[in-house]
Amino acid sequence: MPDSTPQSVLRFEHVSITFGDTVALNDVSFDLKAGGTRIIYGAAGSGKSVMLKIALGLLKPSSGRVFVFGQDTTDLKEKDLFPIRSKMGVLFQEGGLFDSMTIEDNVAYPLENAITAPDGKARIPADQISGRVREALRFVELEQTLVKFPSELSGGMRRRAGIARATVNEPPLMLYDSPTAGLDPITANMIMALIIKARDTKNTTSAIVTHRYQDGQLLANFRYNPESGRLERTEKNGDGVCARTTFMVFGEGRLVFEGTQDELDRSADPYVSKFKAVKQ
Amino acid sequence: MLDFFKGPILALQDFFFLTGRALRNIFRSPHYTDDILLQMDIIGVGSLPIVILTGGFSGAVMALQMSRALATYGATGQVGQIVAITLVRELGPVLSALLVAGRSGSGMASELGSMKVTEQIDAMRALGTDPIQKLVTPRLLATAIMLPLLTIISDLVGLAGGFLVSSITLNTTASQYWNTAYRALVWNDLAQGLLKPFVFGIVIALVGCFYGLRTSGGTQGVGLATTKAVVVASVWIFVFTFFITQIFVNQQ
């Protein structure tokens, strides 16, 4: 961690959630600081997606407390959550795009429909929306799909459009739920490159849920170079991308591991080793 | 034993929460006028062909059935009266409502159900909109407004169907048929004939949206939600028509 203590962006304190008899999250605590990148590994059903939904306030924890930007959101009412949610961008597993709307309308949705604009500012004027939407779609290289519907796009393109929608109002915190699940390796790397680009150009705090070990390696060791427009490997202990990236491993609702990349590499935990086994 | 009742009672509680929030949102901004108009078009204009067809044939069938019965008493002149009363009081509202439940109620459940299982409802909440305000309230308003209008059309077409049959089989003249039909109806009939579809519309939309938003378990869950929405809405239509009729019968 850098010397100055950055502000806490997302903090869980002893959070547990149960559905009927199943415990989906069991006493999970962590703290994500501003500017940090958190990679959350876990097998299917390990509770990592549930964790993101609790962070967004879509699910209420059975016990424990959740703090977003320092504010306790655990017992907030839905309408009081809207201003906080507008500061969080989220990419759902399948993109979560609205089937009944074109890509343009989907990306414009946060700008047009949000009850509260980010930071309580006035809503974005209608004449600026189109420009912002195009800019967000240019960012994910999908400008040509403005009038298409989500069903006309491939899985990778839907996820790129989802990233555009999540980043259109430039939220300081980005959450990604399995951004590479079910994609071929080439498309998956492209999505990861976009996530790195979004993190480095917009300087966002990010939490990425994934089951692919190499996703975390990419995030920890590469950064986006705005001059060349490409990803480049960072020097170890260099500009701090690696130091700002921390890892968590979930197993059956429990936080099995938390630490830096070096600690992850050294960890002898049998569950953590399973994830490292797929390392190239 | 208690666990057996827990599920249905919790579901009922959820249903009343949904109802409360959907009704409260009518008076709260933001108002999604575009969505209301779109739903009115889908539910109202979209159901017009089947409502006209079934309305016309139900009037014709009533006339056909009654012509034989009335002929025994030599009262075939009264066929217009009987068709008018049964259609306006009961058949028009109930048949239109059942058709709209099958067509739009199932549509709402499957559309909202698919949105639920593909995380679109979560996305909507995460992007700062209330799904009840954006999805349920427009459907509720649209159905409550359009179903009475559809019923009026269905009643009129049914009366015309009845006239067609009675003029062919019974040689009833136009003035005789329409006169008896017109005189048979009192304000009480029209009031219950319009109150019923209004209530049914609310029931159909709320039940459809309720089961849609409760969907779980992937695409299989969507099918289940759709079936439940149609069955439950249809049953409630019959329950409500009984109680509304009960109220109006006592008024006479």
Side-chain angles (χ1 to χ4, degrees), chain A residues 53 56-58 78 82 85 90 92-94 96-99 101 109-110 113-115 165 177, chain B residues 21 28 30 32 111 114-115 118-131 133-134:
Chain A
K53 286 188 180 163
L56 280 160
L58 298 175
E78 184 87 3
F82 288 143
R85 283 189 192 141
V90 57
F92 284 94
Q93 209 153 355
E94 301 289 332
L97 297 173
F98 303 129
D99 289 331
M101 299 180 193
Y109 192 91
N113 287 284
I115 290 169
R165 187 176 69 178
D177 189 0
Chain B
R21 287 173 65 187
R28 277 194 182 178
Y32 298 103
E111 190 184 356
S114 314
M115 290 182 78
T118 56
E119 294 187 310
Q120 291 178 51
I121 303 281
D122 281 339
M124 200 166 261
R125 288 173 63 196
L127 293 173
T129 25
D130 179 4
Q133 183 116 34
K134 176 87 178 159

Side-chain angles (χ1 to χ4, degrees), chain A residues 207-219:
Chain A
I208 297 105
V209 160
T210 182
H211 60 271
R212 277 197 348 154
Y213 186 75
Q214 59 264 48
D215 290 349
Q217 296 299 306
L218 279 170
L219 281 158

Side-chain angles (χ1 to χ4, degrees), chain B:
Chain B
M1 184 66 181
L2 272 175
D3 279 354
F4 181 77
F5 289 110
K6 213 168 128 189
I9 288 172
L10 279 176
L12 196 66
Q13 176 185 312
D14 287 349
F15 181 78
F16 283 122
F17 275 138
L18 177 79
T19 308
R21 287 173 65 187
L23 292 175
R24 201 177 54 190
N25 282 343
I26 297 174
F27 307 104
R28 277 194 182 178
S29 63
H31 300 288
Y32 298 103
T33 320
D34 287 356
D35 292 281
I36 299 172
L37 292 175
L38 180 72
Q39 290 304 323
M40 283 170 84
D41 183 46
I42 294 172
I43 295 161
V45 182
S47 307
L48 211 48
I50 56 166
V51 164
I52 287 176
L53 268 175
T54 48
F57 277 103
S58 61
V61 158
M62 280 303 301
L64 216 51
Q65 292 280 14
M66 288 306 148
S67 61
R68 245 181 72 196
L70 289 170
T72 352
Y73 306 105
T76 48
Q78 301 299 311
V79 71
Q81 183 181 349
I82 289 187
V83 171
I85 287 175
T86 43
L87 271 184
V88 172
R89 279 190 196 166
E90 207 58 60
L91 276 184
V94 170
L95 283 179
S96 312
L98 288 176
L99 287 169
V100 171
R103 197 182 161 276
S104 305
S106 64
M108 288 172 210
S110 63
E111 190 184 356
L112 269 56
S114 314
M115 290 182 78
K116 179 78 198 282
V117 298
T118 56
E119 294 187 310
Q120 291 178 51
I121 303 281
D122 281 339
M124 200 166 261
R125 288 173 63 196
L127 293 173
T129 25
D130 179 4
I132 295 177
Q133 183 116 34
K134 176 87 178 159
L135 299 171
V136 180
T137 304
R139 282 165 175 75
L140 173 67
L141 282 174
T143 325
I145 295 168
M146 293 317 270
L147 194 53
L149 298 178
L150 283 170
T151 305
I152 293 172
I153 293 169
S154 165
D155 289 348
L156 283 175
V157 178
L159 279 170
F163 169 65
L164 211 65
V165 166
S166 61
S167 67
I168 291 167
T169 59
L170 302 170
N171 294 319
T172 323
T173 61
S175 67
Q176 193 184 10
Y177 179 86
W178 290 108
N179 253 319
T180 51
Y182 179 76
R183 278 155 191 256
L185 294 173
V186 291
W187 285 112
N188 184 305
D189 300 321
L190 296 184
Q192 68 167 306
L194 287 177
L195 178 71
K196 278 178 184 175
F198 178 72
V199 174
F200 298 162
I202 294 172
V203 170
I204 292 166
L206 285 174
V207 169
C209 292
F210 174 70
Y211 282 109
L213 290 176
R214 273 170 78 86
T215 306
S216 61
T219 39
Q220 203 188 2
V222 176
L224 208 64
T226 311
T227 314
K228 271 186 184 168
V230 176
V231 172
V232 172
S234 306
V235 170
W236 280 111
I237 286 168
F238 283 107
V239 174
F240 274 106
T241 193
F242 173 80
F243 285 109
I244 296 172
T245 308
Q246 180 69 40
I247 294 167
F248 278 92
V249 162
N250 290 341
Q251 295 292 313
Q252 277 175 336

